Amino acid sequence: MKRKCVIFGTTDFGKMLRYYFEKYADVQIVAYTVDKAYLESDTYDGLPAVAYEEVEKAYPPTEYTMVIALGYKKMNQIRQQKFEDAKRKGYRIENFVHPSVVDESVAMGEGNIILEHVILAYGTKIGNSNIIWNGSQISHESQVGDYNFFSVDSVIAGKTVVKNNCFLGINSTVLGNRTLEYATLVGAGAFVKENTEPYSVYVPARSICLENKKST
């Protein structure tokens, strides 16, 4: 029997995840939910849409799971807040791993979205609520924390540690045996060859350290 699931997020990303889950996973999407302030209709994408503040009444966590369809806004903090709140409500947060993924990971948490042709190499560990877009590579024995976003074709070399709330842009690369500290932003096409500082920003040919930018 398929697991019944509610998607948080009435966006194109939510529609896309519905397609993937229903095509490739043992999951039936039954409804959408979003904060009451952003609920524009009682239906979305042909399914019921309910206020998040009341979702556990209509779709109790004892019977339904949840998908968090949120991106990298505010360095993934919005997704983090919803993930943590949904867990407090008692929901299991679904992972999605596309069937084309090469998965040699040894551990994976909840709420991860891993799309086409990603490589999770030997011995990698993946935390909670990470989004890893098409063609990205997490090389051998690397560790990815929670609430990170890997854009298309981003690469971290072996034994790299990515802490929480980081963003890696399209075609970015991180040298092996390095650590990306909390809320590191790696711009599109950037090459990171050193350990980073928290709240630092790396763009091609130069780096900018933005200390104490906790509101970023």
Side-chain angles (χ1 to χ4, degrees), residues 110-155:
E110 292 185 42
N112 296 289
I113 306 297
I114 304 175
L115 299 179
E116 294 93 334
H117 305 294
V118 167
I119 296 175
L120 305 178
Y122 162 78
T124 53
K125 296 180 181 180
I126 310 294
N128 296 315
S129 194
N130 297 286
I131 297 177
I132 307 178
W133 276 86
N134 319 56
S136 295
Q137 180 169 323
I138 313 299
S139 297
H140 65 94
E141 300 167 275
S142 291
Q143 299 181 40
V144 175
D146 303 329
Y147 319 116
N148 298 292
F149 191 100
F150 291 75
S151 301
V152 173
D153 290 332
S154 53
V155 175

Side-chain angles (χ1 to χ4, degrees), residues 8-10 32-42 49-57 82 85 89:
F8 182 96
T10 52
Y32 288 85
T33 187
V34 70
D35 290 345
K36 187 175 183 179
Y38 300 99
L39 185 65
E40 298 179 352
S41 172
D42 60 2
V50 300
Y52 178 70
E53 292 84 348
E54 302 170 1
V55 66
E56 64 267 39
K57 296 178 183 177
K82 288 305 174 188
D85 192 67
K89 287 177 182 286

